[in-house]
Amino acid sequence: MSSSTSPTLPAEIIDIIVDEVAKIPDQQPRNQTLSSTALASWSFRHRAHAHLFASIHIFGTHLRSATPRIRRLLQLINADPHSEVTGIASYVRSFTVYMFGPASMVRPTLDDGTMATIYRKIYRTGEPSSGPRSLSLTLGTLGNIPTLCGNPLFTTLHLSHFINLPPTLLHHSYVKNVKFWKIRLPETKVAEDLDAVESIYYLKLDECHQDIDALEECQAVLLESIDTDHSMPLLDMLDMSPHRSLHPKVIFSKLKNLTTQIGNEDDFHKTIWILANATSSLEMLDIKLFSYNEPPMPVIECGQLFALKTLSISQSFTSYKSPGRTTIPQICKIIHHLNLPPHLDEISITVFLYTQLSERSPRDIFDGHEYSPLDELFSHARFYALKHLTIRFMFILHLAQGEILDEKCFIAQSSAYVRGSFPEVESNAVSGRLQFDIDIVPHIRRK
């Protein structure tokens, strides 16, 4: 071998090296190391860029516009003439853009074609085998997104804060996963009358008897995952039959994952309606509570969800130590009103705790909250078949500038400390019947 010849590593070894670098937990050092690795050779660049550009997130605020970063992304894509085949555009699997602020900060890349060009290069090229693609947009304009939805590569769409969204957006599309928050269709009122909504839904249940096998092609959008705040009527987007007369059980026959935001009684009823029409397919239900108030709660008949394996409930409002402002009883009430299937494998509960500036030790942070309702609830016989219970505590941890924290040690100490507040559940875990995890998630804020 000539001394000037560089040794060539097998592709399998390069894959192992780059994959190990991609496992670095902290984003900044991970991306820096991947960027350096990409300079080693073309083979290393190809594999490192596949990790670096797999998920792109661009966030803009009223203080910092997203426009420069959006244009920089297009420059990087255009710098490689083969970007859509073996370059940056071909690596993108998830593209998230959040634009917020006055029109002068949001409109430029929408009006000059920059965003449209990025869409075209990311979503209209490549082989179908290159994997699914997703798009998340907040406070933008649709541009050519309706056209992109017809691309087989385009399977996930997240939209929020859109007005006059066309009901035909998903027609003839390959989209399987959606997230719709703060969405209004043309001539749709912000708040719908609950009685009117129910009368329409149950009219369909009583009068429509279509069988899914008899559906003509493209009569319905059969989604696998829905994340909704109920701001828009889902059937208007998913039922493409001439008279919007398809049975809801057909529309939701493929639904596996449902994330539902509940802030009032109306949202409860809409959630119940979706569940009633996804009984045979739903595997994961994620309920996000967005209210301190406790509206009248009807029983949510999860017992008929024969495929349901995982249930998650989170309260987005802060739970205080004072009895009148704790959210734990509300979470317990929700679970109490769930008629759970006997084969449910996993339940996850998330609570956001209030912390004061001076509270830094596990004792300071967790003492004073009332955990006994949760402990008593999950010691009930109806949960004996449960295999895995996770209770997650999220909170702000206030630290001084320059103060050093061993986060792993703090999390371990906090988890051990909180477990003592769940003696009944812990007893079931010790017996081996239940896997019980306490998940501590501090958000560090420095003063």
Side-chain angles (χ1 to χ4, degrees):
M1 178 183 294
S2 171
S3 59
S4 61
T5 302
S6 300
T8 302
L9 292 175
E12 295 81 1
I13 300 299
I14 295 177
D15 286 340
I16 293 173
I17 294 173
V18 177
D19 288 345
E20 285 300 313
V21 173
K23 293 178 183 178
I24 298 175
D26 296 331
Q27 181 179 6
Q28 185 173 354
R30 178 176 67 248
N31 288 346
Q32 290 176 344
T33 308
L34 283 171
S35 298
S36 299
T37 304
L39 300 176
S41 69
W42 185 92
S43 296
F44 274 98
R45 185 187 69 176
H46 172 68
R47 289 162 175 80
H49 281 183
H51 287 284
L52 272 172
F53 296 102
S55 181
I56 295 179
H57 300 264
I58 299 177
F59 294 89
T61 68
H62 65 287
L63 297 176
R64 186 186 181 199
S65 173
T67 297
R69 281 160 288 164
I70 293 172
R71 288 190 171 140
R72 176 57 179 159
L73 173 62
L74 182 58
Q75 291 174 357
L76 290 172
I77 292 174
N78 287 337
D80 183 353
H82 305 292
S83 182
E84 297 120 61
V85 180
T86 59
I88 292 174
S90 69
Y91 303 137
V92 179
R93 297 293 176 267
S94 174
F95 184 42
T96 300
V97 180
Y98 182 97
M99 293 184 286
F100 182 78
S104 60
M105 298 176 67
V106 174
R107 298 291 319 180
T109 57
L110 299 172
D111 293 337
D112 65 10
T114 299
M115 286 293 290
T117 303
I118 292 175
Y119 294 158
R120 184 169 61 252
K121 286 183 175 291
I122 291 176
Y123 295 105
R124 286 181 158 270
T125 57
E127 297 298 325
S129 61
S130 60
R133 309 292 178 87
S134 68
L135 172 66
S136 299
L137 283 180
T138 298
L139 290 174
T141 61
L142 288 175
N144 60 347
I145 295 178
T147 303
L148 299 179
C149 289
N151 179 4
L153 295 178
F154 195 77
T155 59
T156 301
L157 178 64
H158 296 176
L159 298 177
S160 60
H161 295 82
F162 278 81
I163 298 176
N164 294 329
L165 194 70
T168 58
L169 176 66
L170 299 180
H171 289 198
H172 310 292
S173 77
Y174 292 85
V175 172
K176 299 298 181 184
N177 314 290
V178 300
K179 176 179 178 179
F180 291 146
W181 287 7
K182 306 297 182 184
I183 299 295
R184 287 180 61 187
L185 300 178
E187 301 180 359
T188 298
K189 296 180 181 179
V190 176
E192 297 176 292
D193 179 73
L194 178 60
D195 294 334
V197 170
E198 286 190 320
S199 66
I200 293 174
Y201 290 164
Y202 289 106
L203 178 66
K204 287 178 176 286
L205 281 169
D206 294 338
E207 295 185 356
C208 303
H209 305 283
Q210 293 89 345
D211 184 85
I212 188 170
D213 295 331
L215 277 176
E216 296 181 4
E217 186 179 0
C218 299
Q219 272 198 322
V221 179
L222 304 180
L223 296 175
E224 297 178 0
S225 175
I226 296 175
D227 187 336
T228 178
D229 64 353
H230 306 286
S231 59
M232 57 166 282
L234 288 171
L235 283 187
D236 286 359
M237 293 281 288
L238 306 180
D239 186 349
M240 297 181 291
S241 60
H243 303 290
R244 297 189 186 278
S245 58
L246 289 179
H247 197 299
K249 286 185 178 292
V250 173
I251 300 295
F252 298 110
S253 61
K254 301 293 185 181
L255 185 63
K256 295 180 180 179
N257 302 318
L258 173 64
T259 298
T260 174
Q261 296 189 34
I262 297 179
N264 52 48
E265 186 179 359
D266 188 7
D267 296 338
F268 268 104
H269 283 279
K270 291 178 179 179
T271 298
I272 291 172
W273 172 76
I274 296 176
L275 296 178
N277 292 291
T279 54
S280 62
S281 60
L282 195 69
E283 299 176 0
M284 189 281 291
L285 173 60
D286 185 1
I287 299 175
K288 298 184 181 297
L289 303 173
F290 280 84
S291 175
Y292 268 125
N293 301 323
E294 293 191 4
M297 296 180 188
V299 174
I300 301 179
E301 291 289 346
C302 294
Q304 300 301 314
L305 299 175
F306 304 112
L308 189 67
K309 298 295 183 183
T310 303
L311 170 67
S312 300
I313 300 178
S314 62
Q315 170 56 273
S316 296
F317 279 82
T318 305
S319 184
Y320 293 83
K321 296 180 180 181
S322 56
R325 303 189 68 187
T326 176
T327 62
I328 292 177
Q330 187 187 34
I331 293 175
C332 292
K333 187 174 181 180
I334 293 287
I335 299 175
H336 179 73
H337 281 73
L338 294 175
N339 182 13
L340 298 174
H343 50 267
L344 187 68
D345 288 338
E346 181 177 354
I347 294 181
S348 175
I349 306 296
T350 301
V351 181
F352 293 82
L353 300 180
Y354 171 76
T355 54
Q356 299 184 24
L357 293 174
S358 59
E359 295 178 337
R360 301 185 185 180
S361 70
R363 180 185 297 273
D364 293 337
I365 293 170
F366 297 104
D367 276 1
H369 291 280
E370 184 57 52
Y371 308 110
S372 59
L374 281 174
D375 189 45
E376 294 173 4
L377 176 68
F378 287 108
S379 63
H380 194 274
R382 64 191 290 228
F383 295 103
Y384 279 180
L386 189 66
K387 297 179 181 178
H388 189 188
L389 172 64
T390 300
I391 301 180
R392 182 175 297 105
F393 294 99
M394 304 182 72
F395 53 89
I396 295 175
L397 183 61
H398 301 275
L399 299 179
Q401 290 292 340
E403 184 176 354
I404 298 175
L405 173 73
D406 186 336
E407 191 168 342
K408 291 184 178 179
C409 180
F410 172 81
I411 290 175
Q413 291 175 350
S414 297
S415 178
Y417 187 82
V418 177
R419 292 183 80 92
S421 300
F422 296 90
E424 297 293 334
V425 177
E426 182 66 12
S427 175
N428 292 331
V430 171
S431 68
R433 183 179 62 79
L434 174 71
Q435 179 181 340
F436 176 42
D437 293 328
I438 296 289
D439 193 5
I440 305 298
V441 187
H443 175 71
I444 297 176
R445 180 175 295 175
R446 297 191 178 274
K447 298 180 286 185

